[in-house]
Amino acid sequence: MLQTTSSHSSWSRWRGGPCIGLLAIAQLVPVAVCEVLSVRTSPPRDLEASLANWNLGLDDAGAPPLAGQLRVSGCGSPAEDLNGALALVDSASCEDLVEATHRLAKAGALGAVFVHYDEGLAGLALGDAEVPSIRAVVIERSPGLELLSLLASQAVEAELKLGKLISEDAYEEQFIFRVDEFHATRKENFLWHQYPSLLPSSGRETLSARLMPRLAVPEGWFSRPMGFVPLFNPSLLSLQDGTFLVALRMSNGQGCPSVRAARESSMDTRICRNELVLAHLGEDLAVRSHVLVEMPMLRCRFTAESQTAGRQFLDEVYGPMDARIAWGDEEIWVLFYAERNVREVEVERGMHAAPLHIDWATCNGWYLYATDAAFLPSQCSWLGSGDPISLESCQRSCEAQKACTAFTFREGVACELRQCSERPKVWPLVGWQSWHRGGDQCLERAFVKAEELLAFPAAHGVEKNWNLILGEKLRLFMEYFIEPHIVLTASLWRDDAGIHLARLEQSFVSRWPYEVLHGLTNVRGGFCCLRLSDELLQIRTSQRRIGGDDDEENLELPPGPLLLGAGHLQRIRSPFDQAPGDLSRFRRQAKSRTYHQFFYLLRASEPFDVVAVSSEWCITINGHFSQHWAEVLAPGEEACESIQFVAGLALRGSEVVVSYGINDCESDLLPLPLSEVVAMLKPVRSAVNVSLDELEMI
């Protein structure tokens, strides 16, 4: 049921949330109606249709429905009269689909059906253009080309009909991955011929939900307040005092139902906006402070002459995307993807890197010191009880006593006033909050200097998701590709004018053993690298390599330190008629994406080859917008969000904290025992000094 795809080709695909299938799901309320294009061929067909975002306005205005006989047309002024027909147009020949819709309307068309220029589907956004007087939809290329061919010999009627009912406050089925999908897929389609494990989520409120009330969305992003703004793909970094930094992408992308339903996502406004949020977390992972990272101007404007496909859906792109933060020798580095205009008609879409500068200040006022925890009495003297009616009343009670610097609070239950030492410890207490006043360090400013920003060449059109393996003052080792494992070296020089890229070269190429992948492709990087000392690894017993002959030698991990990373395999759902399980649901989910994660270990020195790989895993649903499915799933049934993206790993004592994005919308954290992570890893021997000339996928 699941298939992998070529990683490079998939970079240029984008699915704009089309409606799928015809099943109405009664449990999902409130709902909005989506549509499909019903084509009266023999046999009749219902085609997936992605709608122009002005269609609903035409519905409200009482415009005629999109129904009638299909007729082949071009994007220019049609030579023939289209009166009473639906224009079927191959969008590959169109420069501007909105303008083409206007011209087709003037020629008398009742509606426009555009055949997508590439595989998959994409939305059709109005931007600031004048609203056409007819509806428009986009259909997939393969069935669209069949229709174009069929119209040469016969007449075909089509009609836009009601499709599946989709919830505005819960994700559609394509964003959830249930266990029966594993069993509808052969084990050979997964790493090590093993089904993925489902790791239990933390069960706590997500990181993005805890951070959201503190955020001020930049002015001009939306015309109305959003209930939830996409805040995803968090990258985590541990500090020497045991606290953490986490960098998250804030965007107006279409990932969250609240933004999509408000019609203010980038597909509606044609402007993709991004900011990098940096948050400081306590040892208990509670949010203490945050700032927006100040960046040099990162902007890409698309025109009719731009030599890239992006301009068909967007007019402008701003800001850094999908950042990773990592320690270098003496500084924190940030790597991120961004798009910029480099010449009059050319767009560069690639990786950037720079030191991340951070200013700290003494916290002013109250801040949440820890959640689900209380201050240790040995470090915080008890001063009495305050008013527990509300958080504000408890704060006022503490402020009324000069000696009070902290309090432990549970709404309506207790408000315990305390005088604490500078960095008091806490102990777990579910449902309680510990608040502290001043004295601690909070983020004041985070910024990237323009003169230190490195822009790496985009050799393959789009370059994304590089990771920093090792950062030295004059040299960066970066993970460019995970399988084959390709390491790039960036040689730098520094002077009073800033940091400059002297040379970027491919340094090391290695390949995993065949028995790990057995032909699977589209292995993608997520985050690397977390340094693990030999003492932390504590591995002294050998593990048998899966799939080896009886006389094959046992493999042991090399001595530490080793570097822990997390990657994923992207697959496209492709159900087959004999698949066991809910075949109707599988068909409704067809062609949507799934990500499953895995851990791996690198040698901490050259050639940085992969020395261990785990089987695949995902994390059970915990996202705010996924909670609806807890009521839909059968008792005991587990599920994961379809798209989970690990963007950070950090140590907390004997735990590895995994930071991950959920469906391009939310962020969460999952602490795992380091022993459990190590137990998942199987030693491998990579082939080193591999030539890329022998690899078809590169």
Side-chain angles (χ1 to χ4, degrees):
M1 174 167 172
L2 300 180
Q3 296 181 352
T4 55
T5 60
S6 168
S7 58
H8 287 303
S9 64
S10 67
W11 284 343
S12 62
R13 296 178 193 165
W14 192 91
R15 293 182 61 83
C19 304
I20 301 175
L22 289 169
L23 179 73
I25 303 179
Q27 297 98 325
L28 301 183
V29 291
V31 298
V33 177
C34 284
E35 299 159 290
V36 294
L37 189 70
S38 181
V39 182
R40 298 190 183 98
T41 54
S42 182
R45 300 177 65 185
D46 288 323
L47 303 181
E48 209 173 311
S50 182
L51 311 181
N53 64 352
W54 63 82
N55 282 12
L56 192 58
L58 294 178
D59 292 341
D60 296 339
L66 193 150
Q69 183 174 320
L70 289 170
R71 186 177 301 172
V72 178
S73 179
C75 294
S77 299
E80 58 183 322
D81 184 6
L82 293 174
N83 188 36
L86 301 180
L88 183 63
V89 181
D90 186 347
S91 68
S93 60
C94 299
E95 288 295 323
D96 187 323
L97 299 189
V98 178
E99 181 58 34
T101 306
H102 279 292
R103 290 195 294 266
L104 294 168
K106 290 180 180 178
L110 289 181
V113 179
F114 292 105
V115 178
H116 191 38
Y117 75 97
D118 197 358
E119 295 182 31
L121 270 179
L124 183 52
L126 179 65
D128 57 1
E130 183 182 352
V131 178
S133 60
I134 59 174
R135 294 177 178 82
V137 298
V138 181
I139 61 174
E140 291 183 288
R141 186 156 191 81
S142 180
L145 293 179
E146 292 177 13
L147 272 180
L148 287 168
S149 177
L150 189 62
L151 288 176
S153 58
Q154 68 180 76
V156 176
E157 298 280 331
E159 181 181 3
L160 199 61
K161 288 186 173 182
L162 299 185
K164 182 184 138 185
L165 296 178
I166 296 180
S167 169
E168 294 294 5
D169 61 357
Y171 277 136
E172 298 95 322
E173 290 172 304
Q174 64 180 348
F175 292 108
I176 297 294
F177 195 97
R178 297 166 73 170
V179 173
D180 62 349
E181 291 190 64
F182 287 138
H183 300 298
T185 306
R186 295 181 303 168
K187 285 185 178 180
E188 290 78 7
N189 282 1
F190 299 101
L191 294 183
W192 295 110
H193 289 191
Q194 293 184 11
Y195 286 129
S197 304
L198 275 69
L199 306 182
S201 62
S202 68
R204 293 180 59 183
E205 187 179 31
T206 62
L207 172 63
S208 49
R210 286 184 278 129
L211 186 55
M212 189 62 58
R214 299 166 171 258
L215 286 176
V217 178
E219 187 177 351
W221 271 35
F222 304 107
S223 65
R224 71 193 85 174
M226 290 292 104
F228 200 102
V229 177
L231 195 63
F232 56 102
N233 292 357
S235 186
L236 193 66
L237 184 75
S238 58
L239 301 176
Q240 292 182 345
D241 64 357
T243 61
F244 301 89
L245 290 176
V246 60
L248 310 94
R249 177 183 172 186
M250 180 164 63
S251 176
N252 70 330
Q254 75 292 342
C256 281
S258 59
V259 178
R260 188 173 64 241
R263 300 180 195 164
E264 296 213 20
S265 76
S266 57
M267 281 305 296
D268 298 293
T269 65
R270 293 185 64 92
I271 299 176
C272 181
R273 302 184 184 276
N274 300 277
E275 291 279 1
L276 184 60
V277 178
L278 186 69
H280 181 217
L281 309 182
E283 295 177 59
D284 68 337
L285 307 179
V287 178
R288 293 190 175 181
S289 59
H290 78 279
V291 292
L292 295 185
V293 178
E294 301 168 24
M295 284 279 179
M297 175 57 72
L298 298 168
R299 179 181 63 195
C300 184
R301 288 180 174 172
F302 300 104
T303 67
E305 290 75 35
S306 296
Q307 296 178 1
T308 177
R311 68 174 187 82
Q312 297 195 29
F313 314 114
L314 297 170
D315 294 331
E316 297 176 75
V317 176
Y318 289 88
M321 292 169 270
D322 302 330
R324 313 288 195 279
I325 52 175
W327 277 109
D329 279 350
E330 301 175 354
E331 55 200 349
I332 297 174
W333 281 84
V334 56
L335 283 75
F336 59 88
Y337 169 77
E339 302 185 5
R340 300 198 295 179
N341 299 106
V342 291
R343 285 178 271 293
E344 186 175 348
V345 296
E346 293 186 22
V347 171
E348 188 167 85
R349 310 164 89 178
M351 290 298 299
H352 299 70
L356 179 61
H357 299 276
I358 299 173
D359 292 338
W360 298 86
T362 301
C363 299
N364 294 318
W366 291 103
Y367 65 96
L368 182 61
Y369 191 86
T371 55
D372 291 328
F375 292 114
L376 283 176
S378 62
Q379 300 191 357
C380 293
S381 303
W382 185 70
L383 301 177
S385 297
D387 184 355
I389 296 301
S390 67
L391 178 61
E392 292 75 14
S393 65
C394 189
Q395 288 179 359
R396 288 193 297 269
S397 298
C398 188
E399 291 167 354
Q401 296 196 32
K402 185 176 181 180
C404 186
T405 60
F407 63 86
T408 304
F409 171 75
R410 184 166 186 173
E411 187 171 7
V413 176
C415 170
E416 302 303 320
L417 310 181
R418 298 189 176 273
Q419 182 179 30
C420 292
S421 59
E422 184 176 347
R423 292 300 306 278
K425 294 187 179 300
V426 296
W427 58 285
L429 191 61
V430 176
W432 291 71
Q433 296 179 351
S434 293
W435 287 80
H436 202 280
R437 179 165 59 175
D440 211 337
Q441 293 292 295
C442 285
L443 291 169
E444 181 179 46
R445 184 188 179 207
F447 58 98
V448 167
K449 296 180 180 179
E451 62 270 23
E452 295 180 342
L453 181 60
L454 303 172
F456 298 106
H460 292 282
V462 177
E463 298 287 2
K464 297 180 70 174
N465 297 331
W466 297 10
N467 283 300
L468 183 63
I469 296 176
L470 179 63
E472 300 174 349
K473 195 163 187 68
L474 296 178
R475 189 170 57 168
L476 304 177
F477 289 100
M478 293 178 292
E479 183 182 70
Y480 171 74
F481 211 82
I482 194 169
E483 168 50 29
H485 195 255
I486 302 175
V487 178
L488 304 180
T489 302
S491 299
L492 313 176
W493 58 282
R494 301 186 185 219
D495 58 18
D496 293 341
I499 303 177
H500 316 276
L501 179 63
R503 186 173 62 254
L504 180 66
E505 56 189 350
Q506 173 190 302
S507 298
F508 309 105
V509 181
S510 58
R511 293 217 75 176
W512 303 0
Y514 179 79
E515 58 264 30
V516 182
L517 287 168
H518 41 266
L520 294 179
T521 60
N522 208 16
V523 184
R524 298 177 164 209
F527 176 81
C528 192
C529 303
L530 173 62
R531 188 179 183 88
L532 300 178
S533 67
D534 197 45
E535 293 75 20
L536 282 171
L537 288 166
Q538 295 180 349
I539 291 181
R540 295 295 180 266
T541 57
S542 62
Q543 296 188 41
R544 188 94 178 148
R545 184 166 58 180
I546 300 297
D549 297 328
D550 290 341
D551 60 352
E552 190 171 34
E553 63 178 314
N554 285 345
L555 289 177
E556 294 186 16
L557 290 175
L562 299 175
L563 304 176
L564 179 66
H568 64 271
L569 277 83
Q570 175 183 279
R571 296 181 173 90
I572 305 299
R573 286 165 159 141
S574 301
F576 56 96
D577 290 342
Q578 289 76 38
D582 188 346
L583 190 57
S584 297
R585 174 163 52 83
F586 296 164
R587 286 171 177 160
R588 295 193 299 272
Q589 296 170 315
K591 300 180 182 177
S592 59
R593 297 176 298 159
T594 67
Y595 287 13
H596 296 113
Q597 318 297 314
F598 60 89
F599 291 116
Y600 61 97
L601 285 173
L602 301 181
R603 198 181 307 272
S605 57
E606 302 176 9
F608 305 108
D609 53 316
V610 174
V611 298
V613 181
S614 78
S615 56
E616 295 174 56
W617 50 272
C618 61
I619 302 170
T620 57
I621 57 174
N622 195 49
H624 172 75
F625 294 105
S626 308
Q627 293 311 302
H628 159 81
W629 289 95
E631 303 173 7
V632 175
L633 300 175
E637 182 184 2
E638 295 286 1
C640 300
E641 287 94 1
S642 296
I643 300 176
Q644 295 176 341
F645 187 97
V646 174
L649 301 169
L651 282 174
R652 184 176 71 166
S654 61
E655 293 179 318
V656 174
V657 181
V658 178
S659 61
Y660 64 102
I662 300 173
N663 285 331
D664 289 345
C665 178
E666 302 179 72
S667 298
D668 206 3
L669 304 169
L670 178 66
L672 292 172
L674 177 59
S675 58
E676 179 180 331
V677 173
V678 173
M680 296 171 69
L681 291 156
K682 304 176 189 295
V684 300
R685 178 178 293 126
S686 294
V688 297
N689 300 320
V690 174
S691 171
L692 290 182
D693 295 336
E694 302 172 2
L695 304 177
E696 294 182 359
M697 66 180 293
I698 300 297

